[in-house]
Amino acid sequence: MASFRIRQYRDQDFEAVRALFARGILEHAPAGFRHLLRSARVRLALLAVFVAARAGAGSWVLGLGTVALALVLLWVLVRSLSADYVRDALATDLCDVPGTYLRAPDSCFWVAEAGGAVVGMVAAVPAGRGELELKRMSVSREQRGRGLARALCREVLGFARARGYSAVVLSTSMVQVAAQRLYEGQGFRKVGTSHPSLLGAVLNFQIFHYRCDLGDAAK
């Protein structure tokens, strides 16, 4: 198994980091769509759409076609949540990584490198109240299962301890189950939930908020 190393971000990592982040976020859209389809409220709404279209058009085919169109619309809405999040990140902090994470006090941005390529990333910024926030965690699909995410998480925890922070906080989406397991295995506990937007609230798409008190973190 090839080795990897974690190092601080360099200017030449710019395009690789942005592409890695975008791919990592957008690949969760199908899981979000499946979550939506498991919702009883959504299933009832689709049934109502079918019944109304069937009654109005007098055709089973048109009723099913209307449901298919509704499913396409739901997929577009779900993917737009991910796409909007990516666009916002690429236009803000990931547009100027050195300015956001390397020049600011108690902030940093790391990449995991394997075979000369950037295959993972994570950032840390102060969150106030003696807390440090873990942000922008992503590992390429091909490199998962090798411990990169765990190593990146521990890099942030060690960075926070070295600077005297009492806790590390983070946010992740409800469909990122593997990430939730990773964080919980490193001592994080869920402390709250929120919706990323009004559309997210309508679709019942939640963001989970985690906190790791550094005395409780896995060593």
Side-chain angles (χ1 to χ4, degrees):
M1 182 179 292
S3 61
F4 63 88
R5 69 183 181 114
I6 296 175
R7 60 168 174 80
Q8 189 170 294
Y9 171 93
R10 300 170 185 163
D11 288 341
Q12 58 264 38
D13 301 324
F14 180 71
E15 293 298 341
V17 158
R18 287 163 62 87
L20 176 63
F21 174 78
R23 286 196 305 270
I25 295 299
L26 293 176
E27 73 179 27
H28 293 296
F33 184 61
R34 290 192 296 271
H35 163 76
L36 188 64
L37 294 183
R38 288 193 292 268
S39 166
R41 181 170 57 185
V42 170
R43 291 182 178 184
L44 285 173
L46 290 172
L47 177 60
V49 166
F50 171 76
V51 170
R54 168 72 177 81
S59 167
W60 285 88
V61 173
L62 288 178
L64 292 172
T66 302
V67 170
L69 183 61
L71 288 171
V72 171
L73 177 59
L74 283 175
W75 164 248
V76 171
L77 289 174
V78 169
R79 197 175 190 283
S80 74
L81 286 173
S82 297
D84 288 346
Y85 183 69
V86 168
R87 279 193 294 269
D88 180 68
L90 296 184
T92 53
D93 60 298
L94 294 184
C95 186
D96 182 14
V97 172
T100 304
Y101 296 107
L102 302 184
R103 301 189 194 112
D106 288 351
S107 299
C108 197
F109 196 105
W110 300 267
V111 300
E113 186 180 58
V118 172
V119 295
M121 55 186 275
V122 72
V125 293
R129 306 181 305 280
E131 299 172 347
L132 192 75
E133 183 180 6
L134 183 155
K135 298 185 64 175
R136 306 311 186 208
M137 170 79 84
S138 186
V139 172
S140 66
R141 181 192 294 269
E142 298 77 14
Q143 298 292 331
R144 291 172 193 164
R146 299 180 52 208
L148 275 77
R150 184 168 58 252
L152 288 164
C153 185
R154 289 180 175 178
E155 193 77 27
V156 174
L157 293 173
F159 181 84
R161 285 196 188 93
R163 283 153 181 77
Y165 283 89
S166 61
V168 175
V169 297
L170 62 86
S171 299
T172 191
S173 73
M174 63 188 302
V175 299
Q176 291 173 269
V177 178
Q180 293 165 34
R181 287 198 295 263
L182 165 72
Y183 297 135
E184 290 165 4
Q186 294 302 302
F188 286 84
R189 57 187 176 84
K190 187 159 60 174
V191 294
T193 62
S194 65
H195 298 290
S197 63
L198 179 59
L199 176 58
V202 171
L203 298 178
N204 194 31
F205 186 87
Q206 293 182 316
I207 299 297
F208 293 164
H209 304 288
Y210 281 85
R211 173 188 172 94
C212 177
D213 293 307
L214 291 180
D216 299 332
K219 305 298 184 185

